Amino acid sequence: TEVKPRILLMGLRRSGKSSIQKVVFHKMSPNETLFLESTNKICREDVSNSSFVNFQIWDFPGQIDFFDPTFDYEMIFRGTGALIFVIDSQDDYMEALARLHLTVTRAYKVNTDINFEVFIHKVDGLSDDHKIETQRDIHQRANDDLADAGLEKIHLSFYLTSIYDHSIFEAFSKVVQKLIPQLPTLENLLNIFISNSGIEKAFLFDVVSKIYIATDSTPVDMQTYELCCIMIDVVIDISCIYGLKEDGAGTPYDKESTAIIKLNNTTVLYLKEVTKFLALVCFVREESFERKGLIDYNFHCFRKAIHEVFEVRMKVVKS
């Protein structure tokens, strides 16, 4: 079997680690997370929703002591692909920064290939100016601490996140993309597809988690990403009501799944099934969508190429 990359969720108690996991991977409503109990042991979970989103998440309780001899941190960090450190932006974050520095330096000694990601979390309660100021301050202090320790070569990525909007899904998308070895191939395929089809923007989504595993090289706009997420929810919800047989057999999302939504700004949202777990969501101008036959033909070629990428991966895994 394939060795799954490991994502560690770390941070102080009550920083929001378990809430992030429940909202992104278990479709829990953000309001329901208020009733989650504090994590008191390491929780491991396999996320094997699709051919590409395939990893383990380890949720660590905030009170873990790295100096405890019973804690084998070397074994844990050795198999880790990404380490997400969650900082509560509405709390005094000096203790969190000290823990971040300790965690990163320990992990880097064991495994220099870990991607270090910092989620500046719970920013929904801050004004726009305060968000920018908080991010700048945390970024500066964390990097200064590493520079003082002579570890400038460690790169930290920072994200402003909240479970009450789509920022947490976008941040997780960026983290997961770094763990997908086929990412350059997928991005190249999307670039070829949109340039030959007159499409403005295209995302390749994991339908279950609403993480986008690849997009073309044009910049990602938050509003565009939110519209894609809403569209996927609409398609799945309507399919669950009307798409199943009377006895409830079948799946709400299959190779016939497709959707077209026309927005009032002359843009068309177009969703097509790529694999059992992946969907392509495109933004097309109305005048370009008149050549829907061309788009569908190019999509057929794109879909075939994605399946070939997947087959190559399976052969590598088996060998």
Side-chain angles (χ1 to χ4, degrees):
T1 58
E2 185 175 10
V3 178
K4 293 178 184 175
R6 187 183 298 155
I7 296 178
L8 307 185
L9 264 177
M10 293 184 158
L12 298 184
R13 284 172 66 90
R14 313 305 298 172
S15 57
K17 303 181 294 297
S18 300
S19 302
I20 290 171
Q21 187 182 347
K22 295 292 184 189
V23 168
V24 175
F25 297 106
H26 295 274
K27 291 190 177 293
M28 183 179 277
S29 157
N31 294 322
E32 287 178 53
T33 62
L34 298 170
F35 307 106
L36 286 176
E37 290 183 13
S38 189
T39 307
N40 54 19
K41 66 177 191 298
I42 298 174
C43 298
R44 283 183 270 190
E45 182 185 358
D46 262 356
V47 178
S48 306
N49 295 330
S50 81
S51 51
F52 291 100
V53 180
N54 203 10
F55 52 83
Q56 282 187 332
I57 287 189
W58 291 29
D59 183 4
F60 282 75
Q63 65 272 21
I64 272 200
D65 178 14
F66 287 107
F67 296 105
D68 187 333
T70 60
F71 181 70
D72 187 0
Y73 68 87
E74 285 201 14
M75 179 278 291
I76 289 167
F77 291 144
R78 203 173 291 122
T80 295
L83 192 158
I84 298 172
F85 196 92
V86 183
I87 295 177
D88 184 345
S89 65
Q90 297 184 32
D91 205 1
D92 177 22
Y93 45 75
M94 290 306 142
E95 187 188 346
L97 283 168
R99 178 63 69 89
L100 168 66
H101 181 73
L102 172 68
T103 307
V104 166
T105 49
R106 280 285 171 108
Y108 188 77
K109 279 179 189 169
V110 177
N111 181 357
T112 56
D113 294 327
I114 294 178
N115 296 314
F116 295 107
E117 322 283 353
V118 181
F119 285 8
I120 302 166
H121 196 48
K122 302 184 185 177
V123 295
D124 48 277
L126 307 180
S127 67
D128 287 347
D129 289 345
H130 196 174
K131 281 181 197 176
I132 295 164
E133 181 60 33
T134 302
Q135 183 175 17
R136 190 195 60 76
D137 189 41
I138 289 175
H139 184 283
Q140 185 75 43
R141 289 175 186 273
N143 282 319
D144 285 351
D145 287 346
L146 289 174
D148 292 345
L151 294 167
E152 296 97 331
K153 56 184 175 287
I154 297 179
H155 175 70
L156 303 177
S157 300
F158 295 86
Y159 308 85
L160 292 169
T161 60
S162 166
I163 57 172
Y164 291 96
D165 59 30
H166 287 85
S167 58
I168 191 62
F169 292 95
E170 192 184 15
F172 238 105
S173 297
K174 299 275 177 61
V175 171
V176 169
Q177 283 168 26
K178 293 178 187 176
L179 303 179
I180 298 172
Q182 300 87 351
L183 184 64
T185 308
L186 298 177
E187 286 180 348
N188 191 35
L189 287 171
L190 283 165
N191 283 331
I192 295 166
F193 172 65
I194 68 165
S195 63
N196 288 295
S197 309
I199 287 170
E200 305 279 311
K201 184 75 184 159
F203 293 89
L204 193 59
F205 270 92
D206 172 49
V207 176
V208 177
S209 64
K210 296 198 292 280
I211 283 174
Y212 70 93
I213 62 167
T215 184
D216 58 83
S217 53
T218 58
V220 175
D221 171 40
M222 190 66 179
Q223 200 175 9
T224 305
Y225 175 65
E226 285 183 19
L227 280 170
C228 292
C229 292
I230 293 165
M231 186 181 192
I232 289 170
D233 281 339
V234 168
V235 171
I236 297 299
D237 289 348
I238 291 177
S239 297
C240 284
I241 299 168
Y242 300 108
L244 299 177
K245 293 174 183 169
E246 287 183 14
D247 59 357
T251 56
Y253 182 77
D254 56 31
K255 63 178 182 293
E256 301 299 325
S257 292
T258 184
I260 301 167
I261 297 177
K262 291 189 177 179
L263 306 178
N264 57 9
N265 63 352
T266 70
T267 304
V268 177
L269 272 175
Y270 191 31
L271 179 146
K272 295 274 281 181
E273 186 261 11
V274 178
T275 72
K276 192 166 62 164
F277 298 105
L278 298 180
L280 182 76
V281 184
C282 310
F283 279 74
V284 197
R285 292 253 167 247
E286 266 186 17
E287 58 268 24
S288 301
F289 198 66
E290 289 170 6
R291 302 194 302 275
K292 182 172 175 291
L294 172 68
I295 294 172
D296 286 345
Y297 174 77
N298 287 339
F299 170 76
H300 175 73
C301 299
F302 170 80
R303 190 170 184 260
K304 190 164 169 255
I306 291 287
H307 281 275
E308 284 172 10
V309 170
F310 179 52
E311 281 166 17
V312 168
R313 174 176 174 166
M314 291 310 293
K315 283 176 186 169
V316 170
V317 171
K318 284 173 184 171
S319 61

